[in-house]
């Protein structure tokens, strides 16, 4: 009989971050949340004492973890935030709850995990229906502690992905954006996860961190692969090859070398102007998630930062970043970019980026909820004020610009401007130096904003089109749900029409217009984006070289004709074919890579 576990096998998913990695697997089979029901199989009467003891050990361990977290956080945090853990500790010490669990183990002969899940589940259900919003939100706290207790009962704590001992390919059910941001770039050669799409924030981060990644991978990998199996991750086309044969390994080693040479060539071109054959310049800027991404951005030749996603500063920290911490970070960024424009986007949490510190809880429809500017203008004005103070102060040290995310009406922009005005008054009265004439702009990422572009353009200095969200909100598809990813097409004429409308409105009102969605990072769409007349494309630094090469081979007139035709198409596929036809004519080598998901 042949041993199928060592035969080569290909698993398919969605390409999320380009690159090839060959390595050994670290398999994480549990979901990130451990709040799941256990088997209700009865235990034997003689197991009861051991089961109660196991429960108490898990509670002790959870208590220790919570105290440790609290100690770490209290060092530099205001007591209100550290007190979250007081509430968590009360739950593990709630005698009534613990007695109920023990009773169920003893009288119904159920395992401690099953009994705990059932008892705590009843508490959660009861408070989730309370009319008081504050009490209702405590359900999330209870769930959080309950997940810890269940992980400790089941011994399923995940390995610390920020502290791997050796290089590995991580294959997991899911990685949240904050899990991903904490990955050790030197140790994680690549990752593949079951959830997500290529515009989820986990995928975007992988590109910035230059870690090859595949998302939406088939669940079979979790039953068929083992730790330490050899795998090849192809982040260009979205596959994992398990137990590759000698021949496959050789083919992929060659591909990886070819990829390396291609990037070296592109880096050599990094100082060339991103100018079309007929003399039109399209600025190429970078999207960054951390200040350390600037090195890559400079290496690939950036003309500034088109989008700094500041939310990771909050999500990666145990406490809310203080004004001084933020000021230091923005100042460093401004100085390092040496006068080049740096667009700093104010906090955009919510959707798939949850951070309970700032009050972004899981909502029923998180992408339609209290996200980004909505949270800042309503429930967390304190956080917004701190961020704006830090930004205005840091503006003295370079060419910083402030951008507001998720705008859906004129009133939000006016309110944000009033807020800036108040913060300036505050700084003036405190005699603190700040940049008085800092530019402000908005993300155009809701259809409402796209259609109101003319009115919005009169209020701001620049637009940046966020196609990741614009597509999600236009097509009514959750951008991180792999099951509806088949509807996610940047080349859809309905998206192209909105971009055209926004660019025309910006130009009529003489303001700068950039596009910073993932669409800008994919060379497949470069001919259309150039033809649409954007002043700037802002992208993952790794894509700057390929996009620059295409722009330098394009003729603006041909790109404009392609847009006219694409907009008249009925489907995204037809429109994409028009872009690819032009690309094939001017840059066959980039077309090949683009088709492989560069
Ligand atoms: C976008 O929506 O296109 C965008 C750039 O913002 P984010 O991906 O962070 O939502
Ligand atoms: Mg967005």
């Amino acid at each position: 009989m042949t041993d199928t576990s060592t035969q080569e096998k290909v698993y398919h998913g969605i390409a999320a971050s380009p690159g090839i990695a060959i390595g050994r697997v670290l398999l994480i089979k549990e979901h990130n949340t451990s709040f799941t029901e256990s088997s209700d199989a009865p235990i034997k009467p003689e197991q009861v004492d051991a089961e109660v003891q196991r429960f108490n050990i898990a509670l002790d361990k959870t208590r220790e973890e919570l105290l440790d977290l609290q100690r770490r956080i209290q060092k530099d945090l205001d007591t209100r935030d550290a007190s979250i853990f007081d509430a968590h500790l009360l739950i593990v010490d709630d005698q009534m709850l613990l007695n109920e669990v023990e009773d169920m183990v003893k009288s119904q002969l159920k395992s401690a995990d099953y009994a705990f899940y059932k008892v705590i589940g009843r508490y959660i259900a009861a408070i989730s229906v309370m009319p008081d919003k504050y009490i209702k939100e405590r359900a999330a706290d209870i769930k959080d502690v309950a997940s810890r207790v269940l992980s400790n009962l089941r011994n399923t704590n995940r390995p610390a992905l920020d502290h791997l001992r050796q290089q590995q390919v991580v294959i997991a059910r899911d990685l949240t954006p904050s899990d991903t941001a904490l990955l050790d770039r030197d140790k994680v050669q690549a990752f593949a996860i079951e959830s997500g799409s290529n515009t989820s924030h986990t995928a975007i981060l992988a590109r910035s961190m230059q870690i090859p990644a595949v998302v939406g991978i088939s669940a079979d990998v979790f039953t068929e692969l083992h730790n330490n199996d050899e795998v090849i991750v192809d982040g260009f086309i979205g596959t994992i090859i398990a137990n590759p044969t000698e021949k496959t390994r050789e083919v992929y080693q060659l591909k990886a070398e070819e990829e390396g040479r291609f990037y070296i060539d592109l880096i050599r071109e990094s100082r060339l102007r991103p100018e079309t054959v007929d003399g039109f310049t399209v600025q190429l800027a970078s999207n960054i998630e951390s200040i350390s991404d600037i090195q890559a951005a400079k290496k690939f030749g950036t003309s500034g930062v088109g989008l700094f996603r500041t939310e990771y500063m909050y999500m990666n920290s145990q406490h809310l970043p203080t004004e001084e911490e933020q000021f230091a970070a923005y100042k460093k960024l401004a100085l390092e970019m040496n006068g080049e424009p740096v667009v700093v986007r104010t906090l955009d949490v919510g959707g798939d980026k949850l951070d309970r510190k700032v009050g972004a809880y899981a909502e029923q429809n998180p992408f339609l909820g209290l996200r980004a500017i909505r949270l800042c203008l309503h429930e967390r004005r304190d956080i917004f004020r701190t961020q704006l103070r830090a930004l205005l102060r840091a503006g003295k040290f370079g060419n910083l610009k402030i951008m507001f995310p998720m705008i859906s009406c004129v009133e939000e922009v006016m309110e944000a401007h009033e807020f800036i005005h108040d913060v300036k008054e505050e700084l003036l009265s405190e005699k603190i130096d700040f940049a008085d004439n800092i530019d402000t702009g908005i993300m155009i990422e809701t259809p409402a904003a796209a259609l109101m572009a003319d009115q919005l353009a009169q209020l701001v200095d620049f637009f940046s089109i966020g196609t990741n969200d614009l597509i999600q909100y236009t097509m009514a598809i959750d951008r991180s749900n792999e099951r509806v990813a088949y509807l996610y097409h940047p080349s859809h004429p309905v998206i192209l029409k909105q971009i055209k409308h926004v660019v025309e409105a910006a130009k009529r009102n003489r303001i700068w217009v950039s596009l910073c969605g993932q669409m800008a990072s994919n060379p497949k769409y470069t001919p259309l984006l150039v033809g649409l007349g954007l002043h700037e494309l802002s992208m993952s630094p790794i894509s700057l070289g390929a996009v620059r090469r295409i722009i330098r081979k394009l003729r603006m007139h041909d790109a404009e004709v392609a847009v006219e035709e694409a907009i008249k198409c009925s489907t995204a596929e037809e429109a994409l074919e028009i872009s690819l036809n032009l690309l094939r004519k001017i840059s066959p080598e980039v077309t090949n890579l683009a088709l492989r998901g560069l």
Side-chain angles (χ1 to χ4, degrees):
M1 214 169 84
T2 45
D3 176 5
T4 51
S5 69
T6 53
Q7 274 179 11
E8 176 172 302
K9 179 159 179 187
V10 182
Y11 299 90
H12 296 276
I14 301 168
S17 175
I20 287 165
I22 306 177
R24 299 273 161 192
V25 170
L26 171 67
L27 199 63
I28 303 173
K29 292 187 182 185
E30 307 83 38
H31 285 273
N32 199 8
T33 167
S34 315
F35 196 71
T36 48
E37 186 166 339
S38 301
S39 149
D40 68 347
I43 55 169
K44 296 192 185 112
E46 58 272 24
Q47 289 176 314
V48 165
D49 285 347
E51 200 58 12
V52 171
Q53 198 188 6
R54 200 167 69 84
F55 181 48
N56 283 320
I57 293 172
L59 290 174
D60 287 345
K61 188 153 182 238
T62 307
R63 201 174 291 111
E64 260 169 48
E65 285 172 7
L66 292 171
L67 284 169
D68 182 44
L69 262 177
Q70 193 174 38
R71 269 192 297 271
R72 276 176 20 212
I73 288 173
Q74 244 160 3
K75 267 199 216 151
D76 37 16
L77 186 73
D78 76 55
T79 38
R80 201 177 49 128
D81 287 318
S83 69
I84 294 174
F85 294 100
D86 287 335
H88 283 197
L89 281 161
L90 283 181
I91 299 165
V92 276
D93 286 327
D94 183 331
Q95 214 42 56
M96 213 164 85
L97 184 146
L98 307 183
N99 288 347
E100 256 188 83
V101 176
E102 276 194 37
D103 281 353
M104 194 165 180
V105 173
K106 289 178 184 159
S107 60
Q108 298 180 29
L109 296 181
K110 296 294 182 195
S111 70
D113 337 13
Y114 179 83
F116 180 71
Y117 178 83
K118 281 288 166 196
V119 172
I120 201 113
R122 274 206 303 274
Y123 277 61
I124 293 172
I127 67 166
S128 303
V129 293
M130 297 272 190
D132 183 307
K133 189 162 157 286
Y134 180 79
I135 297 184
K136 215 165 154 167
E137 280 171 356
R138 300 286 70 76
D141 287 331
I142 302 186
K143 223 171 183 171
D144 203 358
V145 183
S147 299
R148 270 182 196 281
V149 175
L150 286 168
S151 297
N152 286 329
L153 270 169
R154 295 170 186 157
N155 268 332
T156 53
N157 278 344
R158 296 175 145 215
L161 293 177
D162 48 342
H163 286 113
L164 295 184
R165 266 194 254 121
Q166 64 214 40
Q167 288 208 315
Q168 273 172 313
V169 170
V170 174
I171 300 187
R173 295 277 182 189
D174 49 12
L175 289 177
T176 62
S178 50
D179 289 335
T180 312
L182 290 174
L183 291 178
D184 179 344
R185 293 182 202 207
D186 296 330
K187 297 281 168 47
V188 177
Q189 295 171 280
F191 71 77
I193 52 175
E194 193 188 355
S195 58
S197 71
N198 60 1
T199 48
S200 61
H201 285 98
T202 296
I204 292 173
L205 275 169
R207 289 182 71 96
S208 286
M209 296 166 83
Q210 293 172 48
I211 300 179
V214 175
V215 298
I217 197 77
S218 119
D220 297 346
V221 293
F222 297 98
T223 46
E224 296 173 4
L225 288 192
H226 306 97
N227 276 326
N228 253 352
D229 280 353
E230 188 180 34
V231 284
I232 299 174
V233 175
D234 185 339
F236 288 107
I237 54 170
T239 53
I240 300 184
I241 305 170
N243 303 311
T245 60
E246 190 74 25
K247 191 155 170 258
T248 308
R249 197 180 309 110
E250 268 171 31
V251 168
Y252 271 88
Q253 261 153 0
L254 281 176
K255 274 192 189 178
E257 282 162 24
E258 185 195 330
E259 177 208 342
R261 277 196 300 275
F262 178 69
Y263 279 111
I264 289 170
D265 276 356
L266 292 178
I267 290 168
R268 283 204 197 104
E269 297 169 13
S270 68
R271 289 183 182 276
L272 301 178
R273 274 176 77 86
E275 186 181 69
T276 62
V277 177
D278 41 355
F280 291 88
T281 300
V282 184
Q283 292 296 347
L284 298 185
S286 294
N287 294 350
I288 61 168
E289 279 79 41
S290 122
I291 296 193
S292 58
D293 293 338
I294 290 183
Q295 297 324 320
K298 285 189 176 167
K299 184 170 85 179
F300 290 108
T302 195
S303 60
V305 171
L307 168 65
F308 174 26
R309 291 182 165 99
T310 57
E311 45 277 8
Y312 293 100
M313 275 185 350
Y314 295 75
M315 292 163 69
N316 293 344
S317 155
Q318 298 281 8
H319 64 277
L320 283 175
T322 61
E323 181 178 325
E324 288 316 310
E325 285 169 342
Q326 292 191 56
F327 169 67
Y330 303 141
K331 177 177 165 187
K332 182 162 188 250
L333 183 59
L335 290 173
E336 284 204 18
M337 291 311 294
N338 209 8
E340 299 265 26
V342 176
V343 177
V344 182
R345 182 174 73 182
T346 58
L347 180 66
D348 179 7
V349 285
D352 60 346
K353 290 176 291 194
L354 295 182
D355 186 358
R356 299 185 43 254
K357 277 195 303 303
V358 303
Y361 292 97
E363 295 169 290
Q364 213 146 30
N365 289 300
F367 276 114
L368 304 181
L370 197 69
R371 184 182 165 192
I373 193 75
R374 302 172 179 186
L375 182 84
C376 289
L377 287 178
H378 295 101
E379 293 193 0
R380 296 309 305 256
R381 291 174 76 87
D382 54 331
I383 293 181
F384 199 31
R385 166 170 287 105
T386 306
Q387 184 167 37
L388 291 176
R389 283 177 63 104
L391 277 169
L392 287 165
R393 287 173 55 200
K396 288 298 275 183
F397 298 88
N399 191 3
L400 284 193
K401 296 167 192 285
I402 301 178
M403 175 157 74
F404 304 117
M406 190 61 195
I407 292 294
S408 52
C409 59
V410 161
E411 291 90 326
E412 283 170 337
V413 183
M414 296 195 323
E415 222 183 305
H417 280 159
E418 270 168 39
F419 210 118
I420 292 195
H421 173 79
D422 291 351
V423 172
K424 283 183 180 173
E425 296 279 292
E426 218 173 78
L427 291 169
L428 260 182
S429 69
E430 293 168 30
K431 299 197 173 24
I432 297 177
D433 217 8
F434 66 93
D436 196 16
N437 52 356
I438 206 159
D439 277 357
T440 59
I442 56 172
M443 298 273 309
I444 301 283
E445 50 186 347
T446 63
L451 292 174
M452 289 296 280
D454 265 300
Q455 288 80 354
L456 290 165
Q458 290 163 30
L459 301 176
V460 293
D461 301 302
F462 64 93
F463 282 162
S464 188
I465 305 177
T467 44
N468 303 338
D469 280 312
L470 188 61
I471 299 168
Q472 120 162 309
Y473 294 124
T474 303
M475 301 302 290
I477 45 169
D478 177 342
R479 65 191 259 191
S480 47
N481 183 342
E482 67 279 9
R483 297 166 75 196
V484 287
Y486 71 96
L487 284 169
Y488 200 101
H489 297 295
S491 63
H492 197 294
V494 76
I495 302 301
L496 303 179
K497 279 183 198 165
Q498 288 184 79
I499 300 175
K500 185 166 187 280
H501 176 76
V502 174
V503 171
E504 285 170 357
K507 290 189 172 170
R508 260 194 301 279
N509 289 281
R510 298 179 191 286
I511 65 166
W512 183 258
V513 56
S514 171
L515 186 144
C516 64
Q518 281 298 97
M519 182 182 188
S521 301
N522 193 329
K524 275 201 279 204
Y525 308 114
T526 308
L528 294 178
L529 295 181
V530 169
L532 280 160
L534 287 141
H535 292 128
E536 177 188 275
L537 301 178
S538 187
M539 63 197 77
S540 313
I542 197 172
S543 300
L544 287 165
V547 172
R548 173 183 289 101
R549 188 179 278 186
I550 296 168
I551 291 175
R552 292 179 53 79
K553 291 184 175 184
L554 269 175
R555 199 172 289 281
M556 183 55 101
H557 176 70
D558 296 342
E560 283 171 347
V561 171
V563 169
E564 267 171 47
E565 284 177 29
I567 273 181
K568 284 193 226 130
C569 291
S570 310
T571 67
E573 205 182 321
E574 288 162 19
L576 176 60
E577 205 41 46
I578 291 169
S579 189
L580 288 175
N581 277 340
L582 185 49
L583 198 56
R584 280 186 198 106
K585 266 195 228 147
I586 59 166
S587 188
E589 79 289 2
V590 178
T591 318
N592 286 341
L593 276 160
L595 288 174
R596 285 175 54 206
L598 178 83

